[in-house]
């Protein structure tokens, strides 16, 4: 009887599995149909032709970036779950939209909305400014309206034909620079010691862990760097508003008195100082725009379209590209990584892909990175060098920051261009190894054991750093710095001694770097593309493509369904060290977390870094 029951049981289980499989398949098909319908709705909505006299709205919220941080899948899932997603605008999208709108007969005016522009480097601002000036030369007006303008937003708004501020609005220019948090006393109280091996008098990335105040070298370098950047920034603002530099700095210096004379009204003060052209409420500004754009009766406003929606409408055949752009944005790390960081393996693979693609005749490496892992930087530099040696010219376009490891990966190129306000240089190396033997002592914890060589446990977070390990690492850091300046000397046609005089970990602006022959010239991304085309001897205008990691099918689907579908359930990522510290400590937390990480075998592994730990002004 039991064998018979087993047979019937097996048949029943088998039948159930078949039915369950059919059920899952049918549900998956139903879900696919729903997703397809949502995708079609997303794709077709708002695709009516543009009305005549439409206003293009350039609203820049959050950060202005070279590429979106994180994968498409991560961003889509976060939006579907209702979690906040960092607001970002891609620089290339902004520039492309402005370029297309210049000659689009449907676009009659550009509206600039930069109230919420939170993060942008000076080089990126210059790129957008130049695009705005080209748009203005088409004869179409640029109108800007603001309520609470920060420094970066005001820089762009100041280049509009007309800038209007809300009567209760304000403009805040607070200059460049800032304050670092110094941890030495706190680490001493905790019983944690930071062991720093470095080369370069100005290589101060790890200084906050070994001192309680800036060193004389740090003060000297920061004063020169920020002074140069601020002088250029103020001069460009003054030129845009037809003022003098003293008109701007004088108002900032006497702000309390000047504001009191203006009756405590920041907007009235801005108007009196000619920082803006007028004060208008929202409805008054809408009436002004209606003089340049057609009326949208349905919306009771004017015809308008956001720049991202405008780009999504653009269709047509694109000529086969012959110049590739590879983005190297963010911290340089070992291995694979997605957009927003520079992976030693993943970015090197993209450079190699450009080299091996027979249709690509030149490469532009767009660098916007403060540095990171030396090993990862060298992998990328070598691929750049091999591409140049293969006969394909490589031009580096430095963005907001291309310092330390960001400079390292640029050394293999034929030509290096930077913006005058790019932060670059920082040719130096350091290694940071924290130990917490004092903390364990405070907790009355002890360690003990047996090893067969002194290297086993020479660096253990719980024990004092073995002096032999410290000497070993310092020797390695010295060797890497020597390699750094020798490779830079070879790339720049200089002697190592000449490079060393401009190195020592010091950060320079693009203009200062040009004076010291650390780069070949000043120019934006467009100039870099033109330079690459010239080196490749292209007879026709360059056709450009961005080489990036291709998203998978799931990522593409999720990207299209961000505006539809129900929230999905997923485990939130555990907080990192950066999430647990107060605001302003995130950079230092990331450095500590990367400098001492636990390997697969449980041992703590140190990393040698070429990182400037510099912040964009």
């Amino acid at each position: 009887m039991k064998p018979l029951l087993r047979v019937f049981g097996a048949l029943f289980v088998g039948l159930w599995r078949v039915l369950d499989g059919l059920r899952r398949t049918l549900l998956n098909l139903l879900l696919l149909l729903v997703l397809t319908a949502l995708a079609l709705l997303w794709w077709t909505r708002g695709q009516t032709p543009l009305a005549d006299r439409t206003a293009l709205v350039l609203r820049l919220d959050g950060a202005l970036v070279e590429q979106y941080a994180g994968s498409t899948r991560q961003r889509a899932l976060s939006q579907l779950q209702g979690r906040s997603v960092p607001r970002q605008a891609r620089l290339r999208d902004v520039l492309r939209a402005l370029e297309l709108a210049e000659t689009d007969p449907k676009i009659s005016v550009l509206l600039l909305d930069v109230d919420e522009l939170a993060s942008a480097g000076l080089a990126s601002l210059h790129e957008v400014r130049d695009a705005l000036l080209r748009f203005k030369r088409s004869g179409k007006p640029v109108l800007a309206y603001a309520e609470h303008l920060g420094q970066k937003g005001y820089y762009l708004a100041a280049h509009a034909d007309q800038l209007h501020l809300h009567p209760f609005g304000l403009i805040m220019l607070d200059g460049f620079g800032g304050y670092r948090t110094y941890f030495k006393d706190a680490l001493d109280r905790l019983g944690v010691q930071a062991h720093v091996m470095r080369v370069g008098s100005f290589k101060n990335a790890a200084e906050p862990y070994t001192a309680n105040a800036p060193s004389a070298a740090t003060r000297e370098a920061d004063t020169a760097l920020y002074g140069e950047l601020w002088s250029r920034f103020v001069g460009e603002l003054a030129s845009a508003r037809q003022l003098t530099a003293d008109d701007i700095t004088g108002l900032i210096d006497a702000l309390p008195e000047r504001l009191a004379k203006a009756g405590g009204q920041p907007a009235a003060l801005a108007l009196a100082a000619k920082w803006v052209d007028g004060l208008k409420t929202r409805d008054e500004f809408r009436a002004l725009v209606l003089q340049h754009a057609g009326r949208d009766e349905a919306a009771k406003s004017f015809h308008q379209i956001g720049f991202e929606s405008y780009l999504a409408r653009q269709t047509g055949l694109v000529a086969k590209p012959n110049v590739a752009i590879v983005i190297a944005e963010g911290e340089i790390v070992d291995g694979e990584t997605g957009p927003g960081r520079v992976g030693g393996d993943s970015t090197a693979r993209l450079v190699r892909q450009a080299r091996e693609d027979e249709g690509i005749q030149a490469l532009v490496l767009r660098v916007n990175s403060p540095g990171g892992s030396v090993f990862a930087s060298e992998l990328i530099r070598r691929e750049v060098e091999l591409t140049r040696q293969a006969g394909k010219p490589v031009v580096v376009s430095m963005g907001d920051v291309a310092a330390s490891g960001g400079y390292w990966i640029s050394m293999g190129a034929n030509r290096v261009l930077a913006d005058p306000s790019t932060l670059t240089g920082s040719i130096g190396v350091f290694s940071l190894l924290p130990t917490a033997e004092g903390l364990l002592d405070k907790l009355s914890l002890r360690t003990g054991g047996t090893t067969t060589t002194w290297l086993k446990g020479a660096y253990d977070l719980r024990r004092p750093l073995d002096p032999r390990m410290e000497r070993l690492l310092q020797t390695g850091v010295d060797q890497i710095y020597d390699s750094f300046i020798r490779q830079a000397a070879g790339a720049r046609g200089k002697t190592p001694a000449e490079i060393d005089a401009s190195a020592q970990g010091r950060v320079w602006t693009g203009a200062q770097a040009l004076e010291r022959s650390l780069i070949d010239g000043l120019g934006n991304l467009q100039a870099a593309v033109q330079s690459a085309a010239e080196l490749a001897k292209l007879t026709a205008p360059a056709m450009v493509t961005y080489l990036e990691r291709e998203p998978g099918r799931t990522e593409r689907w999720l990207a299209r369904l961000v505006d539809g579908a129900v929230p999905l359930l997923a485990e939130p990522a555990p907080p990192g060290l950066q999430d647990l510290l107060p605001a302003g400590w995130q950079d230092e937390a990331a450095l500590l977390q990367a400098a001492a990480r636990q390997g697969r075998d449980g041992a703590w592994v140190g990393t040698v870094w070429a990182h400037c730990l510099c912040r964009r002004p």
Side-chain angles (χ1 to χ4, degrees):
M1 189 67 180
K2 286 184 178 180
L4 187 60
L5 289 175
R6 289 196 192 97
V7 172
F8 278 111
L11 288 172
F12 178 78
V13 170
L15 181 61
W16 172 254
R17 286 176 177 171
V18 171
L19 292 174
D20 188 55
L22 289 172
R23 177 184 64 85
R24 291 173 180 269
T25 301
L26 289 173
L27 286 175
N28 287 338
L29 287 173
L30 180 60
L31 179 60
L32 181 61
L33 288 172
V34 171
L35 293 179
T36 301
L38 287 170
L40 288 173
L41 285 173
W42 175 87
W43 182 256
T44 56
R45 67 175 186 176
Q47 292 300 309
T48 55
L50 277 182
D52 292 333
R53 301 180 68 223
T54 293
L56 177 64
V57 180
L58 185 61
R59 180 176 180 178
L60 302 181
D61 288 353
L64 184 61
V65 298
E66 300 284 349
Q67 57 185 186
Y68 294 127
S71 68
T72 306
R73 178 178 179 274
Q74 291 170 332
R75 294 195 306 273
L77 281 174
S78 295
Q79 292 189 50
L80 288 169
Q81 295 170 19
R83 291 186 292 173
S84 62
V85 177
R87 293 175 298 171
Q88 298 175 330
R90 283 198 311 189
L91 177 62
R92 75 184 81 160
D93 295 337
V94 173
L95 301 182
R96 180 61 175 159
L98 291 175
E99 179 186 13
L100 292 170
E102 283 181 48
T103 56
D104 190 337
K106 297 290 187 180
I107 300 297
S108 60
V109 60
L110 175 69
L111 302 186
L112 190 58
D113 180 356
V114 287
D115 269 2
E116 300 298 325
L117 178 59
S119 174
L122 294 178
S124 297
L125 292 177
H126 289 163
E127 295 267 9
V128 179
R129 174 205 61 191
D130 292 344
L132 289 174
L133 295 178
R134 288 192 295 269
F135 182 91
K136 289 170 64 174
R137 286 198 291 269
S138 70
K140 301 176 183 180
V142 177
L143 306 180
Y145 182 73
E147 295 172 354
H148 299 89
L149 266 182
Q151 188 163 268
K152 295 176 172 61
Y154 180 64
Y155 179 84
L156 294 180
H159 288 85
D161 292 293
Q162 294 184 49
L163 168 56
H164 295 274
L165 186 67
H166 192 280
F168 280 82
L170 60 85
I171 297 172
M172 183 65 178
L173 298 185
D174 54 358
F176 296 150
Y179 297 93
R180 297 181 180 92
T181 301
Y182 286 80
F183 301 92
K184 187 178 185 303
D185 282 351
L187 293 177
D188 287 345
R189 292 181 64 184
L190 291 172
V192 175
Q193 184 174 358
H195 304 271
V196 177
M197 284 62 67
R198 68 169 187 167
V199 182
S201 303
F202 298 95
K203 197 67 179 178
N204 60 5
E207 186 177 84
Y209 307 105
T210 59
N212 288 317
S215 64
T218 293
R219 291 185 184 278
E220 175 190 342
D222 286 355
T223 299
L225 179 70
Y226 290 128
E228 157 83 11
L229 292 172
W230 180 241
S231 176
R232 185 182 303 277
F233 185 84
V234 170
E236 291 166 349
L237 271 181
S239 176
R241 293 298 307 167
Q242 297 182 348
L243 301 171
T244 67
D246 288 341
D247 290 333
I248 295 175
T249 57
L251 175 56
I252 295 173
D253 293 340
L255 185 59
E257 296 82 6
R258 297 281 295 273
L259 184 60
K261 288 182 179 179
Q265 301 179 53
L269 175 59
L271 180 62
K274 299 183 180 179
W275 284 20
V276 298
D277 297 297
L279 303 183
K280 292 185 182 296
T281 59
R282 292 181 179 181
D283 57 291
E284 290 171 337
F285 182 72
R286 189 180 301 115
L288 172 65
V289 176
L290 280 168
Q291 299 175 19
H292 303 275
R295 178 179 295 276
D296 185 344
E297 297 295 346
K300 305 300 182 184
S301 184
F302 50 86
H303 291 297
Q304 58 185 285
I305 186 171
F307 79 96
E308 290 172 317
S309 298
Y310 178 67
L311 275 182
R313 290 171 168 267
Q314 307 306 315
T315 58
L317 296 176
V318 179
K320 190 173 182 180
N322 50 23
V323 175
I325 298 178
V326 171
I327 301 293
E329 180 175 46
E331 186 179 298
I332 302 173
V333 298
D334 295 320
E336 301 279 341
T337 187
R341 299 174 84 188
V342 185
D345 292 339
S346 49
T347 303
R349 184 183 303 111
L350 291 174
V351 175
R352 186 165 61 253
Q353 180 183 335
R355 181 173 71 250
E356 295 173 350
D357 188 333
E358 295 182 358
I360 299 300
Q361 300 179 49
L363 170 65
V364 173
L365 182 64
R366 176 70 168 181
V367 181
N368 190 17
S369 170
S373 164
V374 167
F375 182 72
S377 299
E378 173 58 18
L379 291 179
I380 299 167
R381 185 207 66 82
R382 178 58 176 165
E383 291 295 337
V384 170
E385 181 181 56
L386 290 174
T387 303
R388 187 197 73 223
Q389 292 175 353
K392 289 191 178 182
V394 183
V395 176
V396 165
S397 171
M398 291 182 168
D400 303 323
V401 182
S404 207
Y407 188 85
W408 188 303
I409 66 177
S410 305
M411 292 189 297
N414 298 77
R415 191 173 293 171
V416 179
L417 301 181
D419 184 87
S421 297
T422 295
L423 301 184
T424 188
S426 189
I427 300 173
V429 189
F430 73 92
S431 180
L432 171 64
L433 298 177
T435 57
E437 66 273 17
L439 175 60
L440 267 67
D441 189 57
K442 293 176 184 290
L443 298 174
S444 300
L445 297 175
R446 303 290 179 262
T447 61
T450 303
T451 63
T452 56
T453 73
W454 71 270
L455 281 171
K456 188 66 174 177
Y459 176 53
D460 187 319
L461 196 64
R462 303 164 298 173
R463 299 171 59 81
L465 183 66
D466 191 305
R468 292 170 291 183
M469 174 61 76
E470 189 166 359
R471 291 199 303 273
L472 198 68
L473 287 170
Q474 185 63 58
T475 300
V477 168
D478 291 340
Q479 185 277 325
I480 291 172
Y481 179 74
D482 183 68
S483 176
F484 201 162
I485 61 173
R486 287 185 181 279
Q487 289 195 62
R492 304 306 313 157
K494 297 284 186 178
T495 66
E498 288 173 324
I499 292 295
D500 185 54
S502 300
Q504 295 291 321
R506 184 158 181 172
V507 180
W508 305 101
T509 67
Q512 293 169 337
L514 180 61
E515 294 172 357
R516 290 157 179 82
S517 299
L518 294 177
I519 61 173
D520 294 295
L522 301 177
N524 57 17
L525 180 57
Q526 186 181 45
V529 171
Q530 292 173 348
S531 178
E534 291 170 2
L535 290 173
K537 296 183 171 65
L538 300 181
T539 56
M543 304 306 298
V544 177
T545 183
Y546 281 84
L547 287 186
E548 296 177 305
R549 182 182 68 86
E550 289 294 328
R553 286 182 294 178
T554 302
E555 288 185 283
R556 291 196 295 268
W557 269 103
L558 285 171
R560 294 179 179 179
L561 297 171
V562 166
D563 297 323
V566 295
L568 305 176
L569 297 177
E571 283 293 321
L577 182 58
Q578 296 94 321
D579 302 317
L580 302 178
L581 292 176
W585 288 34
Q586 284 75 12
D587 287 339
E588 288 78 7
L591 182 60
L592 273 176
Q593 193 160 283
R597 67 184 192 279
Q598 201 164 20
R600 293 179 181 176
D601 60 354
W604 288 89
V605 182
T607 306
V608 179
W609 279 53
H611 197 300
C612 71
L613 209 69
C614 48
R615 296 172 174 85
R616 298 185 301 185

